[in-house]
Every structure is written in C-alpha cells, then in structure tokens.
Amino acid sequence: MPKNCNFIEKLREVGLRPTKQRIKICEVLYNREKTFHFTVNDLVKMISEQMSQKISLATVYNTVHAFEKKGYLKEISIDSQKTYFDTNTSAHHHFFDEDTHELIDCDGSDIDKINIRKTITGKKINSIEVLVRIASDNQNQK
Amino acid sequence: MPKNCNFIEKLREVGLRPTKQRIKICEVLYNREKTFHFTVNDLVKMISEQMSQKISLATVYNTVHAFEKKGYLKEISIDSQKTYFDTNTSAHHHFFDEDTHELIDCDGSDIDKINIRKTITGKKINSIEVLVRIASDNQNQK
DNA sequence: AGCTACATTATAATTATTCTAAACTATTGA
DNA sequence: TCAATAGTTTAGAATAATTATAATGTAGCT
Ligand SMILES: [Mn+2]
Ligand SMILES: [Mn+2]
Ligand SMILES: [Zn+2]
Ligand SMILES: [Zn+2]
C-alpha cells in the first residue's frame, strides 16, 4: 500500500468498504516512509494516541486480518507469545533482537539466495525465510 | 539425550531430581530412533496413552521448560497458535507443511551454509535458521 | 527417621485471540 | 431521496494456551 495513496479508493478496489476505522488504520500503517513491524497491541496504542474516538479491539483484529487476506499485511511468527505483522509484504528475511524483541528487515544484498536441494513429493515451496537471532555481544566487557 | 540412556543418572547430572514424572517424560521423548517435533498437547496425549497414572499439565509444562533450559529441548515458533518443541537440539532448518502443520527437519546437505553480510553493532548472531513453508502442489490436477 | 529443598498438583489467573449477536452504516437501485 | 441489504463495528462472552499459586508430596542427605 503506497504512502499518501487514496485509501478510500484502494479499499473499494479490493472489495473492502472504506469505513472510518479502516481508513484510520490505513493512515497509521501506510502513511510513513518505511515499512515496519507491529503487534496488534502496538497498533491499538498507535491508534489511541492519534484519535479521540476509539476503535474497538475486535475491529482492529478484523481489519488486520482483512488486510492480511488482501495481501497488504504479512503475519510473522517468531516469538510464541506475540504475533507480529509486517507492512513489508515482499519476501524478505529478518533479524530478531532477542534483547529488545525487535524485528529488523534484511534486504536482498544481506543474504544470498537460498538454494533448497530437498524436495517433498506433491508439495511446492510457498516461501523461504531466514531468521537470524541476535543479542547483545558481551564479549567486549573484558 | 541418547536413546536408552540412564535417565536417572542423566537427570541427576544436570541437577534435576529424577522423579517418576520426569523419567516417564524422558522415555517418551528420547527412547526412540529419531528426533521429533511435538506440542505440549501432543506430549500429554502420548503420556496418557502409555501410562495408567496421569501427569498433571502443570508438571508437563514445568518439565518441558526445565529440559529446554538444560538444553535437551528446543522451542520452535512457526505458527502463532502452537508452540513446538524439538528433541533435535542441534542447529538445523525446517520445512513446515502448511496443510498438515507438520515440521520436517532439513539436514546439512539440504541447504547451503547461510552467509550473512549484514552486521549490527554490539550484537552477535545467536542462530541462523531457515523456514521453508510448503503446501500441496495442485498444479498436477489438470 | 527426620529435615529440607525441590517437585507435583489442582485450581485459579492471565493473556491473546476469536466468537456472538445486536446495533450501525456504506452502497445500491427504485 | 430513501429504504433495502449486505457488510461492518462493537461490547462483551467464550476459548485456548500458558503461567501462577499455594498446598501437598518426595528425593536426597544426615
Ligand atoms: Mn491470523
Ligand atoms: Mn517457553
Ligand atoms: Zn519485515
Ligand atoms: Zn527440528
């Protein structure tokens, strides 16, 4: 979803009615320079900071899942406690900071193309994703 | 944890008292040819099938986490709903079958060593894991 | 045998997410 | 313009996985 796009039109195009809740969520998610990662809780907080009127939690869940289904969000499972969503819906790899629980995107030049030699009959590959877990390096504390 | 090992000794060695619950869980998890993946629910089912006396759910959770802490189990987050554990505690990659929700191990020859060119200052890499999502290939149904 | 720290257990609490069903609203077409 | 309709929002209940509590039990030591 491009920045400063006509969200009303965009939503209609994909068959979602442009309600004020959805438009607000679009603004919060997509009117920014860079893509980012968030939890539903993060999103609820961002919305409540920018709005007088609240959006109910059920609607936030509904909307996030509706956007996911339409391909405007990607769900990422890293941490068994939290479900992350990503406004970067392209295929890409991640660093996960185990100290801060922050996700960081890798771009194409960071990791070579992964070549899978194993095949499983009757099955096709949907995605190949690398997760690099990082944490603070305490070797420096001699 | 090797097959047919003396679990009582092994548990004592790492500072865990060899209770009958823990010994039973060791047998269920480690007395088999191959490593495998399971959820806590799976494990509870396996135990109840093989035992007259039940082990409480809290104990199963406690034990699984104790074993994880001691390095005899690995936790895997793939699916936001379920937490998987792996009796294969070495670094390895996975296929995840999105139809059956089954995890399949990759061995070293299946995927080349991953080279990470990106570095983040003050952070060290703890692990690099690839997840290959697969699903049934319906191209064949012409 | 008796002490003590560790473990087990039933049960309650917590948390994230989904469901329900009633109220609301965007869209359409008469 | 306006009512019909299907889609949407919402508060609150329900569900499910996991963790906390606190009482009871037990392994290991003397
Ligand atoms: Mn989902
Ligand atoms: Mn855990
Ligand atoms: Zn990302
Ligand atoms: Zn595995």
Side-chain angles (χ1 to χ4, degrees):
Chain A
M1 197 90 83
K3 194 188 167 192
N4 289 323
C5 106
N6 185 340
F7 296 123
I8 295 180
E9 267 318 299
K10 204 80 185 183
L11 287 168
R12 275 209 196 94
E13 274 173 30
V14 298
L16 294 173
R17 288 189 183 171
T19 63
K20 61 178 175 306
Q21 291 87 348
R22 285 172 175 168
I23 294 163
K24 183 68 204 175
I25 292 174
C26 280
E27 287 166 356
V28 171
L29 293 181
Y30 304 110
N31 264 346
R32 47 175 74 213
E33 290 308 321
K34 295 182 179 180
T35 61
F36 75 116
H37 308 99
F38 64 93
T39 66
V40 167
N41 234 316
D42 294 338
L43 180 53
V44 168
K45 253 176 236 150
M46 287 184 265
I47 293 164
S48 66
E49 281 165 8
Q50 295 181 33
M51 246 182 131
S52 47
Q53 190 194 345
K54 285 212 185 324
I55 299 178
S56 90
L57 184 60
T59 299
V60 177
Y61 272 103
N62 289 342
T63 303
V64 160
H65 284 128
F67 288 5
E68 187 195 2
K69 198 168 294 173
K70 297 299 179 180
Y72 293 119
L73 283 177
K74 222 167 85 166
E75 194 175 327
I76 298 177
S77 297
I78 297 275
D79 186 311
S80 42
Q81 324 311 315
K82 287 181 181 178
T83 298
Y84 291 85
F85 289 89
D86 196 339
T87 62
N88 177 355
T89 56
S90 70
H92 64 285
H93 308 303
H94 289 101
F95 279 58
F96 182 65
D97 187 323
E98 302 199 307
D99 303 320
T100 63
H101 282 203
E102 194 188 0
L103 274 170
I104 301 165
D105 277 0
C106 290
D107 52 39
S109 61
D110 294 329
I111 298 180
D112 290 323
K113 189 170 177 303
I114 312 291
N115 183 34
I116 312 286
R117 264 185 291 280
K118 185 186 184 108
T119 55
I120 294 178
T121 44
K123 302 283 176 177
K124 67 173 191 306
I125 291 176
N126 279 346
S127 68
I128 301 172
E129 299 203 343
V130 178
L131 179 67
V132 182
R133 288 178 184 271
I134 59 175
S136 85
D137 183 4
N138 290 326
Q139 296 306 98
N140 313 10
Q141 302 177 336
K142 297 199 200 82
Chain B
M1 196 90 83
K3 194 190 167 190
N4 289 324
C5 105
N6 185 340
F7 295 122
I8 295 181
E9 266 319 300
K10 204 81 184 183
L11 288 168
R12 274 208 197 91
E13 274 172 30
V14 298
L16 294 173
R17 289 191 181 169
T19 63
K20 60 177 174 310
Q21 292 86 348
R22 285 172 175 169
I23 294 162
K24 182 69 203 175
I25 291 174
C26 281
E27 287 167 356
V28 171
L29 293 181
Y30 304 110
N31 264 348
R32 47 173 75 213
E33 290 308 321
K34 296 182 179 179
T35 61
F36 75 115
H37 308 99
F38 64 93
T39 65
V40 167
N41 235 315
D42 295 338
L43 180 53
V44 167
K45 255 176 234 152
M46 287 185 265
I47 293 164
S48 65
E49 282 166 7
Q50 296 180 32
M51 246 184 132
S52 47
Q53 192 194 344
K54 286 212 184 327
I55 299 178
S56 89
L57 183 61
T59 299
V60 176
Y61 271 101
N62 288 342
T63 303
V64 159
H65 284 129
F67 288 6
E68 187 194 3
K69 200 168 293 173
K70 297 298 180 180
Y72 294 120
L73 283 177
K74 222 167 86 165
E75 195 175 328
I76 298 179
S77 297
I78 297 275
D79 186 312
S80 42
Q81 324 309 315
K82 288 180 180 177
T83 298
Y84 291 86
F85 289 89
D86 197 339
T87 62
N88 178 354
T89 56
S90 70
H92 63 286
H93 309 303
H94 289 101
F95 278 59
F96 182 65
D97 187 323
E98 301 198 309
D99 302 320
T100 63
H101 282 204
E102 194 188 0
L103 273 170
I104 301 165
D105 277 1
C106 289
D107 51 38
S109 61
D110 294 329
I111 297 180
D112 291 323
K113 188 169 179 305
I114 312 290
N115 183 34
I116 311 286
R117 263 185 291 279
K118 186 186 184 107
T119 56
I120 294 179
T121 44
K123 302 284 176 176
K124 67 174 190 305
I125 290 176
N126 279 346
S127 68
I128 301 172
E129 298 203 344
V130 178
L131 180 65
V132 181
R133 288 177 184 270
I134 59 176
S136 84
D137 183 4
N138 290 325
Q139 297 306 98
N140 312 11
Q141 301 177 336
K142 298 199 199 80

